[in-house]
Amino acid sequence: MSFLSRPAAAGTEQPWLLVLMHGVGSHEKDLFALARWVPAQFHVVSLRAPYAMGPGANTWFEFTVEPDGSRTIHEAQETASRRLLARTVETAAVQLGVPPERVVVGGFSQGGIMAISLLLTRPDLLHGAMAWHSRLLPQVLPHAVAPEALAGRALWVSHGLQDNVIPLASAHVIRDHAFGLPVALTYREYAGMHEIRPDELRDAMAWLDALGHPAVPARQEGVAAGA
């Protein structure tokens, strides 16, 4: 799988690993542009999705939007991508000497879908997941681990109030599902559309930094002021 990487700051004694995944029709350079803001104790690896749609355009799985707005996904592609992602995260962590309890996966839009799906199905590989402007795949839920296997994991979910690609209701579904799990959920809503705005990025990076410094409480539940 093609990727771009940025190492943790030299001299970091217990580095973390952040694996990033782009949305539909993009590439590994997209979220790698955020690496400059990622806390210095993190290695950053930004992946390219395995299915090519065209030059510089890739997807984790194909899908169609039905007349009623529902989406039908290519389930075989999703399964294959999720398994490939699991192998990639595990391999990267081993090569970098980072244990699962210091691994975070994150993504925007479809990349966030992959991050949530990996958390729900392979929590043994990671400590937390970040999902920007994403949704929960019902097709993945039958493959999810028992809730108790998610104890101690962390989840960041944020969405735009005016998102015109994935509606805000999709974020509410993630939030409501997470409330029933033993995960430390941070849920935020921001003014904006299908994009990561500066205040959203700032808050997400502060969340990551708190994970990287366990003495700082990571559990925050609720909606940002004014959302």
Side-chain angles (χ1 to χ4, degrees):
M1 181 180 289
S2 297
F3 66 91
L4 293 171
S5 64
R6 185 215 74 180
T12 302
E13 293 186 1
Q14 293 186 317
W16 285 60
L17 169 62
L18 174 63
V19 178
L20 293 172
M21 291 159 286
H22 62 77
V24 174
S26 193
H27 46 74
E28 67 275 23
K29 294 180 181 179
D30 189 353
L31 292 188
F32 190 66
L34 305 181
R36 71 185 73 176
W37 289 288
V38 175
Q41 69 268 33
F42 281 81
H43 295 289
V44 180
V45 175
S46 185
L47 305 178
R48 180 194 301 174
Y51 297 101
M53 303 170 64
N58 306 276
T59 187
W60 299 94
F61 55 86
E62 297 171 359
F63 66 94
T64 57
V65 180
E66 307 303 330
D68 64 357
S70 63
R71 303 186 181 204
T72 300
I73 72 167
H74 192 308
E75 294 191 37
Q77 287 184 349
E78 187 281 326
T79 298
S81 285
R82 183 159 34 87
R83 290 174 177 170
L84 176 60
L85 175 60
R87 292 195 301 270
T88 301
V89 169
E90 184 173 28
T91 299
V94 169
Q95 290 180 348
L96 292 168
V98 178
E101 58 267 26
R102 296 204 300 268
V103 174
V104 179
V105 296
F108 176 77
S109 196
Q110 194 182 71
I113 290 176
M114 299 305 299
I116 294 172
S117 297
L118 192 66
L119 174 67
L120 294 178
T121 59
R122 291 297 308 274
D124 57 301
L125 297 178
L126 62 152
H127 175 72
M130 307 176 69
W132 290 299
H133 301 252
S134 194
R135 66 188 185 95
L136 178 68
L137 282 187
Q139 295 88 346
V140 168
L141 294 181
H143 307 290
V145 298
E148 55 267 25
L150 292 163
R153 304 309 189 274
L155 175 60
W156 165 278
V157 177
S158 58
H159 214 89
L161 291 168
Q162 294 83 33
D163 195 315
N164 60 341
V165 176
I166 298 180
L168 181 61
S170 295
H172 293 168
V173 171
I174 303 171
R175 177 197 63 192
D176 295 346
H177 184 76
F179 276 152
L181 301 172
V183 299
L185 171 67
T186 299
Y187 178 83
R188 296 287 185 266
E189 295 174 359
Y190 296 87
M193 302 178 72
H194 199 62
E195 58 190 340
I196 302 175
R197 300 288 291 271
D199 53 345
E200 183 178 4
L201 177 62
R202 181 194 64 236
D203 293 347
M205 294 303 101
W207 178 83
L208 271 181
D209 195 45
L211 291 185
H213 295 91
V216 179
R219 187 176 183 86
Q220 299 173 300
E221 295 183 356
V223 179

